[in-house]
Amino acid sequence: MTGAAVLCRGVGKSYPSAAGRVQAVSGADLEVRAGEVMFLVGPSGCGKTTLISIIAGVLRRDTGECRILGTDLDTLAPAAASAFRRRHIGFVFQAFNLIPTLTAQENVAVPMLLNGAARSAARRAALEALEAVELGAHAAKRPSQLSGGQQQRVALARAIVHGPALVVCDEPTSALDHHTGMEVMRLLRRLAHERDSTLLVVTHDHRIYEFADRIAEMDDGRILRVGAPRPNDGSTVP
Amino acid sequence: MLSVAWTMLAGDRAKCLGIVLSLAFTTLLITQQGAMLQSILSSTTSFVDSIGGIDMWVTDPRSAYIDDIKAMTDTQVNRVRGVPGVAWAVPLYKGSIRARLPDGSSQNSQFIGLDDATLIGGPGDMVAGTLADLRVADGILVDVDAAGGRLAYPLSGGGTRPLAPGDTLELNDHHARVMGIYRGRKNFQSQPVIYTTYERAKAFVPSERKLLSYVLVKLKPGADSAAVSRDIARLTGLKGRTTREFSEESLRWFIANTGVLMNFGLSTVIAFVIGGGIAGMTFHNFMLDNQRHFAVLRAMGAGSGTLIAMVALQAAGVTLIGYGIGIGAIALFAFAMAGSEITLTLTWSMIGASAAVVVLVGGVSGSFGLRRVLTLDPAVVFK
Ligand SMILES: Nc1ncnc2c1ncn2[C@@H]1O[C@H](COP(=O)(O)OP(=O)(O)OP(=O)(O)O)[C@@H](O)[C@H]1O
Ligand SMILES: [Mg+2]
């Protein structure tokens, strides 16, 4: 795919709070090119999660424009927006969010089933995806029988199993130790590359900046800079 | 996704079991209490209901219900026969008598005397002998439960055998010969019920001036029962009620004058509140525990229809299984209790009513869960 996977202009979003409204995002501009790995970084409370929620279509913006794969999700009816998300977007969460009573394979099969795949096809695709994250041998285990890193790898498999064009990740490594986090990012980057998926990753973790093609720095609800990661020191170049 | 929904619930063994068992418990208690109540209520009027082939029961006007017998004089039968619209009328005696067994033990029994000529009102289901055998001197009929139980024949070497035609009993120091055994409906007191003829009954019971309990009436074709009732009251001073009216009036009297409905009603309500409450709460808990997962599914693009189907399946699944276990247990219970003093009448209407109640519980907790799921903000998934 060529062109922009994500194109946001002047996106604003505020939340009601006790002391009036909190402006979580105010005029954010962000472009993520198709096939690239983009990191979204910034201090706590600067609006990263809010922005990525808008991009993923689970939160409506107040102002501005936002096109995902050429589509403005806010103009879609709820059913169409759901259909768009299950077809084109993969999700990775900080807290993994696997369903505890399902096996790894059943968890990974969920996006396939949501997209109407037959059970056998869904199970097959799930197993392939688990093999891609090197967990083929653990397919029948439940999340509680897996380590945190393994659980996040199951979540990666779930995010990519249906071949989404865009994978959004909120703090995918912050619940993991350094080594495991690096392992997860290595797999995530490889999978996205192999499957031509665009990757948008919100993170605090300087140590994984090397996995980004570009890094967008955010503060106070705005994107301040976008640049390539500088080798070895974890900060961005202007 | 439905299999995912089921695995989500069934995978949580403890909670799933909790919901299923509390629904089973609710089903069991409600059905059991209801069936018990139904048994008791129907046994109170079984005497009226079991006598077919007649249209009307005539009693003393002060008689409020079936067992409230105010005896009349025999001449009343003839007076009733003279009322317009009456095709025929026969006497019926109902009272109690002491039956003494050969070993000297005695047993209070219901004693019923049938019109000598017609034997109208006699039992229909004979196990041994025939109704007509009652015409033999000293003849009586005994119900099969009593024949094998309270009136069982004591053997000289100890033990008993079922009473059979040819055996004799002492009824109030009169010699009576068992001519037949019949199968009857359970009565409320679960006493033996002994049949004989009207004249013989009069001979057996301590002599009183008035012994007529009821006059059983058949109406002429096309006669209006309300008009005949009015004429009976006007011409004889007695009270005529159709079988159905008499049965219903007796039932109403019983309900109004005993605590039975209140007691059973209360325990049924308690069963419903506790069982249904626990089931509902546990299901609600399950939905609370899983709302994050439902939110994740919603974020990942599960449509409302999918989520509704998932929750509906979960609610319907536990309801069905719980109900099945409950009804299975009650059927087993009824089977085990068959033939004992405690009778459980499991009717389809009872089974249907408890199904309705349990489905209500399942439906209410399911729709609460559904509301929770449908109003979920998928944005919480990133929190
Ligand atoms: N649902 C909400 N209701 C009210 N205020 C909110 C809500 N969600 C976020 N906020 C506020 O909006 C601002 C931006 O929040 P957001 O979660 O987007 O920041 P973030 O960059 O993801 O922070 P962190 O790095 O801590 O995750 C914060 O001030 C936060 O308190
Ligand atoms: Mg955040």
Side-chain angles (χ1 to χ4, degrees):
Chain A
M1 182 180 281
T2 54
V6 176
L7 189 57
C8 292
R9 291 276 167 260
V11 170
K13 175 75 186 175
S14 67
Y15 295 109
S17 82
R21 295 190 75 84
V22 180
Q23 195 67 35
V25 175
S26 41
D29 299 323
L30 181 66
E31 183 182 345
V32 185
R33 297 176 200 135
E36 79 172 328
V37 177
M38 169 71 92
F39 277 23
L40 184 58
V41 306
S44 186
C46 71
K48 305 182 295 293
T49 296
T50 303
L51 183 57
I52 204 178
S53 298
I54 290 169
I55 290 169
V58 295
L59 189 66
R60 295 177 88 86
R61 62 184 187 269
D62 295 339
T63 55
E65 267 182 61
C66 209
R67 290 185 170 273
I68 313 304
L69 312 171
T71 303
D72 180 348
L73 297 188
D74 280 11
T75 63
L76 298 181
S82 290
F84 186 93
R85 288 202 302 275
R86 65 176 172 258
R87 243 165 252 145
H88 302 300
I89 302 181
F91 292 82
V92 179
F93 311 96
Q94 175 177 359
F96 319 146
N97 282 337
L98 299 173
I99 297 175
T101 47
L102 302 188
T103 64
Q105 189 173 8
E106 287 165 344
N107 266 293
V108 175
V110 164
M112 296 296 293
L113 295 172
L114 284 177
N115 279 301
R119 269 176 80 175
S120 56
R123 291 184 63 82
R124 221 176 308 122
L127 191 60
E128 273 170 35
L130 279 172
E131 275 158 4
V133 295
E134 297 155 18
L135 284 177
H138 300 275
K141 290 190 178 163
R142 289 193 181 183
S144 58
Q145 297 169 296
L146 299 171
S147 70
Q150 288 172 328
Q151 288 185 50
Q152 193 60 305
R153 275 148 65 196
V154 172
L156 296 190
R158 180 176 68 177
I160 51 88
V161 66
H162 52 308
L166 174 66
V167 178
V168 295
C169 316
D170 195 13
E171 315 263 13
T173 62
S174 66
L176 305 174
D177 65 57
H178 173 58
H179 174 78
T180 314
M182 298 293 274
E183 178 68 13
V184 162
M185 281 314 300
R186 183 182 63 75
L187 278 170
L188 184 55
R189 197 185 151 91
R190 198 188 77 206
L191 287 172
H193 185 73
E194 282 171 6
R195 298 177 186 226
D196 281 334
S197 294
T198 306
L199 209 50
L200 177 57
V201 180
V202 165
T203 187
H204 269 116
D205 189 351
H206 293 272
R207 295 167 303 191
I208 62 168
Y209 283 8
E210 62 181 87
F211 292 100
D213 292 328
R214 292 195 300 158
I215 293 179
E217 272 188 72
M218 193 168 179
D219 200 358
D220 234 352
R222 281 191 188 76
I223 305 291
L224 301 180
R225 289 184 282 278
V226 179
R230 201 189 288 161
N232 301 329
D233 86 347
S235 63
T236 54
V237 286
Chain B
M1 283 313 287
L2 292 180
S3 67
V4 169
W6 186 246
T7 317
M8 260 171 101
L9 177 64
D12 190 345
R13 288 269 164 70
K15 210 149 278 173
C16 187
L17 213 64
I19 303 170
V20 165
L21 288 185
S22 41
L23 283 170
F25 165 81
T26 312
T27 308
L28 182 80
L29 274 185
I30 289 179
T31 315
Q32 195 259 351
Q33 292 294 314
M36 209 82 130
L37 177 65
Q38 204 164 30
S39 284
I40 290 178
L41 291 184
S42 75
S43 74
T44 61
T45 61
S46 65
F47 184 66
V48 183
D49 301 332
S50 65
I51 295 183
I54 59 163
D55 298 319
M56 200 169 265
W57 292 64
V58 179
T59 62
D60 184 282
R62 292 164 300 158
S63 166
Y65 62 100
I66 176 79
D67 286 318
D68 182 24
I69 296 168
K70 305 266 191 290
M72 303 168 282
T73 56
D74 286 359
T75 52
Q76 300 290 18
V77 181
N78 275 325
R79 296 184 67 197
V80 171
R81 284 179 180 140
V83 173
V86 171
W88 47 255
V90 296
L92 188 73
Y93 168 79
K94 183 169 186 253
S96 61
I97 200 163
R98 216 158 180 58
R100 203 162 65 219
L101 298 167
D103 67 349
S105 66
S106 64
Q107 174 69 52
N108 248 349
S109 305
Q110 283 187 33
F111 195 42
I112 294 163
L114 307 173
D115 176 47
D116 293 58
T118 61
L119 299 180
I120 289 205
D125 185 4
M126 297 300 296
V127 178
T130 68
L131 183 57
D133 292 340
L134 266 190
R135 297 207 173 90
V136 174
D138 299 334
I140 57 168
L141 305 178
V142 177
D143 70 276
V144 67
D145 293 323
R150 299 187 181 208
L151 293 181
Y153 195 90
L155 297 171
S156 48
T160 59
R161 65 165 171 78
L163 207 60
D167 291 334
T168 56
L169 288 174
E170 293 276 324
L171 298 181
N172 242 355
D173 299 330
H174 290 72
H175 187 74
R177 191 166 351 152
V178 177
M179 296 309 298
I181 305 292
Y182 70 93
R183 194 184 310 281
R185 289 209 231 171
K186 273 252 155 58
N187 58 54
F188 185 48
Q189 296 91 339
S190 59
Q191 282 180 339
V193 180
I194 298 174
Y195 280 86
T196 189
T197 61
Y198 187 74
E199 291 303 327
R200 201 171 299 135
K202 285 206 307 189
F204 279 26
V205 297
S207 142
E208 286 173 43
R209 198 170 58 83
K210 299 199 260 182
L211 276 176
L212 178 63
S213 311
Y214 318 98
V215 180
L216 307 182
V217 168
K218 180 77 179 174
L219 298 181
K220 285 182 178 151
D224 172 32
S225 60
V228 175
S229 276
R230 274 196 302 277
D231 286 342
I232 286 174
R234 185 167 54 83
L235 297 171
T236 68
L238 301 175
K239 186 163 181 178
R241 284 170 276 211
T242 63
T243 302
R244 194 200 172 118
E245 285 164 358
F246 199 30
S247 176
E248 285 175 359
E249 258 177 63
S250 297
L251 189 63
R252 266 201 299 278
W253 185 92
F254 188 75
I255 289 171
N257 290 277
T258 67
V260 72
L261 195 65
M262 195 54 200
N263 286 336
F264 279 91
L266 201 67
S267 49
T268 307
V269 168
I270 290 173
F272 175 71
V273 168
I274 294 182
I278 293 174
M281 297 279 277
T282 320
F283 192 77
H284 185 73
N285 254 332
F286 166 78
M287 294 308 299
L288 278 181
D289 284 358
N290 279 280
Q291 68 174 337
R292 179 163 193 89
H293 304 126
F294 279 111
V296 169
L297 291 175
R298 198 163 181 70
M300 293 196 310
S304 298
T306 305
L307 294 173
I308 291 172
M310 289 178 76
V311 176
L313 176 93
Q314 290 170 340
V318 288
T319 304
L320 220 70
I321 294 176
Y323 179 70
I325 293 176
I327 284 290
I330 197 80
L332 225 67
F333 184 71
F335 184 72
M337 287 293 153
S340 79
E341 303 277 295
I342 310 167
T343 27
L344 268 189
T345 319
L346 263 192
T347 58
W348 286 112
S349 61
M350 202 56 237
I351 290 173
S354 63
V357 167
V358 173
V359 166
L360 179 76
V361 172
V364 167
S365 36
S367 35
F368 271 111
L370 206 56
R371 226 190 50 173
R372 187 167 281 281
V373 165
L374 290 182
T375 54
L376 274 177
D377 180 1
V380 304
V381 295
F382 283 122
K383 292 282 183 271

